[in-house]
Tab-separated table of all heavy atoms in Angstrom:
chain	number	residue	atom	x	y	z
F	364	PHE	N	-84.786	-49.997	31.566
F	364	PHE	CA	-85.709	-48.886	31.782
F	364	PHE	C	-86.221	-48.981	33.207
F	364	PHE	O	-86.718	-50.027	33.617
F	364	PHE	CB	-86.872	-48.961	30.787
F	364	PHE	CG	-86.428	-48.996	29.357
F	364	PHE	CD1	-86.512	-50.159	28.610
F	364	PHE	CD2	-85.894	-47.863	28.758
F	364	PHE	CE1	-86.103	-50.193	27.285
F	364	PHE	CE2	-85.469	-47.896	27.442
F	364	PHE	CZ	-85.574	-49.053	26.705
F	365	ARG	N	-86.114	-47.882	33.944
F	365	ARG	CA	-86.457	-47.925	35.369
F	365	ARG	C	-87.727	-47.177	35.712
F	365	ARG	O	-88.454	-47.569	36.615
F	365	ARG	CB	-85.296	-47.370	36.175
F	365	ARG	CG	-84.034	-48.172	35.866
F	365	ARG	CD	-83.056	-48.040	36.910
F	365	ARG	NE	-82.072	-49.097	36.733
F	365	ARG	CZ	-81.327	-49.517	37.700
F	365	ARG	NH1	-81.455	-49.024	38.891
F	365	ARG	NH2	-80.434	-50.448	37.475
F	366	LYS	N	-87.972	-46.061	35.042
F	366	LYS	CA	-89.151	-45.229	35.311
F	366	LYS	C	-89.665	-44.680	33.992
F	366	LYS	O	-88.895	-44.486	33.048
F	366	LYS	CB	-88.788	-44.044	36.228
F	366	LYS	CG	-88.282	-44.413	37.594
F	366	LYS	CD	-89.397	-44.907	38.480
F	366	LYS	CE	-88.863	-45.213	39.875
F	366	LYS	NZ	-89.858	-45.739	40.746
F	367	PRO	N	-90.963	-44.378	33.927
F	367	PRO	CA	-91.490	-43.800	32.690
F	367	PRO	C	-90.986	-42.375	32.477
F	367	PRO	O	-90.645	-41.662	33.424
F	367	PRO	CB	-93.007	-43.820	32.900
F	367	PRO	CG	-93.214	-43.924	34.365
F	367	PRO	CD	-91.995	-44.602	34.925
F	368	VAL	N	-90.953	-42.002	31.211
F	368	VAL	CA	-90.548	-40.662	30.792
F	368	VAL	C	-91.733	-40.052	30.052
F	368	VAL	O	-92.461	-40.759	29.348
F	368	VAL	CB	-89.305	-40.730	29.875
F	368	VAL	CG1	-88.951	-39.371	29.312
F	368	VAL	CG2	-88.117	-41.311	30.649
F	369	TYR	N	-91.920	-38.729	30.209
F	369	TYR	CA	-93.052	-38.042	29.602
F	369	TYR	C	-92.585	-36.866	28.761
F	369	TYR	O	-91.516	-36.296	29.018
F	369	TYR	CB	-94.018	-37.555	30.698
F	369	TYR	CG	-94.526	-38.675	31.566
F	369	TYR	CD1	-93.953	-38.944	32.816
F	369	TYR	CD2	-95.563	-39.493	31.137
F	369	TYR	CE1	-94.417	-39.993	33.606
F	369	TYR	CE2	-96.032	-40.547	31.919
F	369	TYR	CZ	-95.447	-40.790	33.151
F	369	TYR	OH	-95.896	-41.823	33.920
F	370	VAL	N	-93.413	-36.509	27.778
F	370	VAL	CA	-93.126	-35.324	26.962
F	370	VAL	C	-92.974	-34.130	27.901
F	370	VAL	O	-93.738	-33.965	28.852
F	370	VAL	CB	-94.248	-35.073	25.938
F	370	VAL	CG1	-94.094	-33.715	25.274
F	370	VAL	CG2	-94.254	-36.182	24.888
F	371	GLY	N	-91.969	-33.304	27.636
F	371	GLY	CA	-91.685	-32.140	28.469
F	371	GLY	C	-90.622	-32.397	29.516
F	371	GLY	O	-90.092	-31.456	30.104
F	372	ASP	N	-90.306	-33.668	29.768
F	372	ASP	CA	-89.245	-33.972	30.731
F	372	ASP	C	-87.910	-33.449	30.211
F	372	ASP	O	-87.628	-33.501	29.013
F	372	ASP	CB	-89.119	-35.480	30.960
F	372	ASP	CG	-90.158	-36.033	31.925
F	372	ASP	OD1	-90.934	-35.248	32.501
F	372	ASP	OD2	-90.191	-37.267	32.100
F	373	CYS	N	-87.115	-32.946	31.133
F	373	CYS	CA	-85.741	-32.547	30.828
F	373	CYS	C	-84.844	-33.681	31.308
F	373	CYS	O	-84.844	-34.017	32.496
F	373	CYS	CB	-85.379	-31.254	31.550
F	373	CYS	SG	-83.687	-30.718	31.235
F	374	LEU	N	-84.132	-34.283	30.369
F	374	LEU	CA	-83.302	-35.434	30.697
F	374	LEU	C	-81.825	-35.078	30.666
F	374	LEU	O	-81.363	-34.400	29.748
F	374	LEU	CB	-83.574	-36.571	29.714
F	374	LEU	CG	-85.009	-37.077	29.664
F	374	LEU	CD1	-85.129	-38.214	28.658
F	374	LEU	CD2	-85.498	-37.522	31.034
F	375	LYS	N	-81.112	-35.567	31.671
F	375	LYS	CA	-79.664	-35.435	31.717
F	375	LYS	C	-79.076	-36.803	31.429
F	375	LYS	O	-79.372	-37.777	32.127
F	375	LYS	CB	-79.189	-34.943	33.079
F	375	LYS	CG	-77.668	-34.793	33.162
F	375	LYS	CD	-77.230	-34.278	34.519
F	375	LYS	CE	-75.725	-34.114	34.572
F	375	LYS	NZ	-75.285	-33.700	35.921
F	376	VAL	N	-78.252	-36.877	30.387
F	376	VAL	CA	-77.618	-38.119	29.970
F	376	VAL	C	-76.144	-38.032	30.360
F	376	VAL	O	-75.455	-37.091	29.964
F	376	VAL	CB	-77.767	-38.326	28.450
F	376	VAL	CG1	-77.156	-39.650	28.034
F	376	VAL	CG2	-79.231	-38.223	28.033
F	377	THR	N	-75.687	-39.003	31.136
F	377	THR	CA	-74.313	-38.998	31.633
F	377	THR	C	-73.651	-40.332	31.315
F	377	THR	O	-74.272	-41.384	31.463
F	377	THR	CB	-74.281	-38.785	33.161
F	377	THR	OG1	-74.970	-37.578	33.473
F	377	THR	CG2	-72.857	-38.703	33.685
F	378	GLY	N	-72.403	-40.264	30.883
F	378	GLY	CA	-71.624	-41.465	30.643
F	378	GLY	C	-70.247	-41.344	31.260
F	378	GLY	O	-69.685	-40.251	31.319
F	379	GLU	N	-69.732	-42.475	31.728
F	379	GLU	CA	-68.396	-42.514	32.326
F	379	GLU	C	-67.668	-43.752	31.817
F	379	GLU	O	-68.230	-44.858	31.819
F	379	GLU	CB	-68.499	-42.564	33.844
F	379	GLU	CG	-67.149	-42.613	34.537
F	379	GLU	CD	-67.264	-42.560	36.053
F	379	GLU	OE1	-68.369	-42.387	36.585
F	379	GLU	OE2	-66.219	-42.719	36.705
F	380	VAL	N	-66.426	-43.561	31.400
F	380	VAL	CA	-65.620	-44.685	30.937
F	380	VAL	C	-65.309	-45.577	32.142
F	380	VAL	O	-64.703	-45.131	33.115
F	380	VAL	CB	-64.316	-44.211	30.258
F	380	VAL	CG1	-63.447	-45.397	29.866
F	380	VAL	CG2	-64.627	-43.337	29.045
F	381	ALA	N	-65.758	-46.841	32.056
F	381	ALA	CA	-65.561	-47.782	33.154
F	381	ALA	C	-64.445	-48.777	32.868
F	381	ALA	O	-63.874	-49.357	33.786
F	381	ALA	CB	-66.862	-48.541	33.422
F	382	TYR	N	-64.136	-48.971	31.584
F	382	TYR	CA	-63.121	-49.957	31.192
F	382	TYR	C	-62.554	-49.549	29.842
F	382	TYR	O	-63.269	-49.037	28.987
F	382	TYR	CB	-63.758	-51.348	31.105
F	382	TYR	CG	-62.831	-52.425	30.627
F	382	TYR	CD1	-61.853	-52.956	31.457
F	382	TYR	CD2	-62.930	-52.921	29.333
F	382	TYR	CE1	-60.998	-53.957	31.014
F	382	TYR	CE2	-62.078	-53.923	28.879
F	382	TYR	CZ	-61.114	-54.435	29.729
F	382	TYR	OH	-60.268	-55.418	29.276
F	383	LYS	N	-61.262	-49.800	29.676
F	383	LYS	CA	-60.576	-49.478	28.421
F	383	LYS	C	-59.753	-50.691	27.997
F	383	LYS	O	-58.920	-51.169	28.756
F	383	LYS	CB	-59.673	-48.258	28.639
F	383	LYS	CG	-58.971	-47.780	27.403
F	383	LYS	CD	-58.164	-46.503	27.700
F	383	LYS	CE	-57.390	-46.064	26.478
F	383	LYS	NZ	-56.587	-44.878	26.726
F	384	ASN	N	-60.022	-51.188	26.790
F	384	ASN	CA	-59.307	-52.337	26.259
F	384	ASN	C	-58.351	-51.846	25.175
F	384	ASN	O	-58.770	-51.519	24.058
F	384	ASN	CB	-60.298	-53.351	25.684
F	384	ASN	CG	-59.622	-54.606	25.193
F	384	ASN	OD1	-58.583	-54.558	24.541
F	384	ASN	ND2	-60.221	-55.737	25.495
Side-chain angles (χ1 to χ4, degrees):
F364 304 107
R365 303 201 164 202
K366 298 286 183 183
V368 174
Y369 302 99
V370 169
D372 280 355
C373 179
L374 301 181
K375 180 179 181 184
V376 182
T377 304
E379 180 176 355
V380 176
Y382 176 75
K383 183 176 177 181
N384 184 317

